[in-house]
Amino acid sequence: MRASDSKFERHQQVDAASLGSAQAVGTVAQTVPPAPAGPRRGRQLLSWITTAALSRAVSALVPLALIPVTLSYLGAELYGLWTAVIAVTAMMAFADLGIGLGLMTRLAPLRVNDDVDAARRYISSAYAVVSAAALFLCGLLWLLAGAIPWALVFNVPEPTARDGQMVALVCLTAALLNIPLYLVYRIQYAHHQVVASNVWQAVASVASLLLALGAVLAGLPPIAVIAAVAVCPPLVNVVNTVWTFGWRLPQLTPRLRYVEQRRVRDLLHLGGMFFLTTLVMTLADNADPLIIAQVLGLASVTAYAVPAKLLTQLGPLVMLVNQPLWPMYGEALARGDVTWIRRTVRRMTVISVLIALLPATFLVLLGDRLFAAWLPVPVGSRALLLGLACWWITIAAISPRFIVQNAAGVLRPQLLGYSLYLPLSVLGKLYAVHRFGISATPYVGVITYAATVAPAAVYGYRRVLAAQAVAAGGGGLGRPRLRDSHVR
């Protein structure tokens, strides 16, 4: 991307955060700055989506390429231990308490306002909080390492119990240290450095593969091979951070003296909302196997999980095309460009539905034959595949409206919607699975989602745009107070 993209666009607008009275959508605009031309926006978005797709492809292929190399070198037992530890590190995505997403939401309007000082203070405060949390957890991990029964936790046989502790400490430490280092990607997204962000993530994946191959060819101990894969992402993120703040965004370099208590409070508040929303969504999205196991037994879980896992890949595809719009929506809200937001959301709804619809249709029509030829045991049914397809198409249709709310920092509607969806869907699925079998599971999900989450999505989306329209038309007089993102 061009070097000029690293600068904020000029816009004379009051920084409500600095006055201590920020509202959810934006502040009073004295002059409405010109939005980027439509074709330029389209080309920019296309380049972001394309590089994101390539980066995701690389990130998916590298673990597959590592399997034959590491499995034969480590052995089945140590490889299984490593896989179990990786599953634990994946849960640490929650460890930043949503501050990364909150930071990205805060930075987009500040870029429009050209408020470098406020942006730098938010970035410095975010790094301070997340780094302190990561270091505290690292210290706690090493302090308690000797007391944790690693062999029991991972069911490791006695001869390899020592390996279990070493693998856990190496992988968990690298994952914890990577939490603050990952903030650079949020900052790059907020400042339209999306292509660079995607390239760096692909570089981290490729570097992990190369380091692992080098360790194997050098005949290093198995723990060194695991360490090479574990430490590579943090190391690449260190280089990316130095490159970003040294060359691309030097005016935003975080420093301890820019840390502010009120920015910390604001990020913790907004990040906490993201954290709670993500947590409830994760619980709701992963309850199905547990429900089926309780009602019908583990054998039925396999019949559900295989087609469900395949169709679950539609979720990342939908997010792939919608997430780059997060900072764009944030800047459009700051400009008061509601017309562009409405038009783009309509288009992205159609695109998202098509992205889910096409592969889902293929799987509904041919999935049963595919599974019969691919797997040794029968799984799923056409009715189950159709229900799962309807579920992901429904998610795809709603997602663009949630992205707008995320960009505005308005999270209470979706948190309320998912909080209602979780218990109602669980109760409904327990009854439906007992009465009609596993094929009823996704249909109950679709009906409950349409009754709880979808109305919340539409309400929150309209609330954001209505508040912005009042702010733009009435100079802020009588604006609704959307307190999800109020700077306290």
Side-chain angles (χ1 to χ4, degrees):
M1 299 182 70
R2 298 180 306 172
S4 60
D5 287 345
S6 65
K7 298 180 179 178
F8 291 170
E9 295 173 332
R10 297 287 174 184
H11 178 217
Q12 295 178 354
Q13 185 182 49
V14 178
D15 175 20
S18 65
L19 297 177
S21 60
Q23 305 298 325
V25 175
T27 56
V28 183
Q30 294 177 343
T31 60
V32 178
R40 182 190 168 201
R41 264 178 174 164
R43 288 193 300 270
Q44 189 178 54
L45 182 59
L46 181 61
S47 68
W48 292 0
I49 294 173
T50 302
T51 55
L54 293 174
S55 177
R56 291 282 180 91
V58 171
S59 298
L61 290 173
V62 165
L64 296 178
L66 277 171
I67 290 175
V69 178
T70 53
L71 181 56
S72 60
Y73 194 79
L74 301 177
E77 201 167 82
L78 188 56
Y79 182 85
L81 169 64
W82 182 30
T83 303
V85 174
I86 289 175
V88 175
T89 63
M91 300 176 189
M92 292 184 179
F94 295 103
D96 78 336
L97 303 177
I99 287 177
L101 296 175
L103 177 64
M104 187 164 67
T105 297
R106 284 287 178 259
L107 290 179
L110 294 177
R111 181 177 183 272
V112 173
N113 302 342
D114 195 24
D115 196 337
V116 178
D117 181 66
R120 184 169 50 209
R121 293 179 188 279
Y122 267 114
I123 291 171
S124 300
S125 300
Y127 269 105
V129 173
V130 178
S131 297
L135 291 175
F136 172 77
L137 291 174
C138 275
L140 192 63
L141 172 67
W142 283 87
L143 184 65
L144 300 177
I148 298 175
W150 301 105
L152 183 63
V153 171
F154 296 109
N155 195 23
V156 180
E158 192 59 37
T160 56
R162 177 65 179 172
D163 291 334
Q165 179 176 347
M166 287 302 299
V167 171
L169 287 175
V170 168
C171 293
L172 293 174
T173 301
L176 287 170
L177 293 178
N178 196 44
I179 293 170
L181 294 172
Y182 196 83
L183 287 176
V184 68
Y185 295 115
R186 306 298 188 190
I187 296 165
Q188 287 173 325
Y189 254 76
H191 289 88
H192 292 199
Q193 309 289 314
V194 178
V195 173
S197 175
N198 293 330
V199 169
W200 278 108
Q201 292 182 67
V203 167
S205 298
V206 173
S208 297
L209 175 62
L210 295 178
L211 276 181
L213 291 174
V216 169
L217 292 175
L220 297 179
I223 188 64
V225 177
I226 294 174
V229 177
V231 303
C232 196
L235 291 177
V236 172
N237 289 345
V238 168
V239 178
N240 183 14
T241 301
V242 172
W243 177 80
T244 298
F245 292 119
W247 281 271
R248 300 295 287 179
L249 301 169
Q251 72 276 22
L252 299 179
T253 302
R255 301 185 189 281
L256 193 59
R257 67 174 179 269
Y258 296 131
V259 177
E260 287 187 348
Q261 187 177 6
R262 61 180 176 144
R263 313 285 180 183
V264 170
R265 286 200 306 267
D266 182 38
L267 288 172
L268 287 173
H269 171 69
L270 182 57
M273 294 293 292
F274 275 115
F275 174 78
L276 288 175
T277 304
T278 305
L279 182 61
V280 174
M281 289 171 61
T282 302
L283 292 173
D285 292 342
N286 291 280
D288 292 355
L290 298 176
I291 293 171
I292 295 170
Q294 288 295 320
V295 178
L296 300 178
L298 292 175
S300 298
V301 175
T302 302
Y304 176 85
V306 173
K309 192 169 186 178
L310 194 58
L311 280 156
T312 297
Q313 304 308 310
L314 297 177
L317 286 176
V318 172
M319 282 305 298
L320 186 71
V321 298
N322 280 283
Q323 190 164 8
L325 282 158
W326 187 321
M328 281 187 169
Y329 286 143
E331 294 185 7
L333 287 168
R335 291 190 183 95
D337 196 354
V338 174
T339 302
W340 179 83
I341 294 174
R342 292 184 189 276
R343 183 173 64 247
T344 304
V345 167
R346 287 195 296 268
R347 290 176 178 174
M348 294 310 298
T349 300
V350 174
I351 291 171
S352 299
V353 168
L354 289 176
I355 286 174
L357 180 63
L358 297 178
T361 302
F362 171 80
L363 288 172
V364 169
L365 295 177
L366 302 175
D368 51 351
R369 300 180 202 172
L370 175 65
F371 293 139
W374 179 31
L375 299 172
V377 294
V379 295
S381 65
R382 184 159 292 182
L384 175 60
L385 290 169
L386 179 61
L388 290 169
C390 291
W391 167 253
W392 285 109
I393 291 169
T394 304
I395 296 292
I398 296 299
S399 290
R401 286 159 182 79
F402 277 142
I403 296 294
V404 174
Q405 294 171 65
N406 292 345
V410 177
L411 299 170
R412 289 182 182 177
Q414 54 186 306
L415 178 58
L416 176 61
Y418 271 102
S419 297
L420 292 172
Y421 170 81
L422 177 58
L424 292 176
S425 64
V426 168
L427 292 174
K429 288 174 183 178
L430 284 169
Y431 173 79
V433 169
H434 178 73
R435 184 76 183 271
F436 305 107
I438 63 172
S439 297
T441 307
Y443 294 100
V444 173
V446 170
I447 294 170
T448 312
Y449 191 93
T452 56
V453 180
V458 174
Y459 167 75
Y461 170 68
R462 291 178 176 175
R463 182 186 179 199
V464 168
L465 297 190
Q468 180 59 47
V470 171
L477 198 57
R479 283 179 298 171
R481 293 177 63 84
L482 305 183
R483 297 181 183 177
D484 300 41
S485 58
H486 181 63
V487 179
R488 299 174 185 272

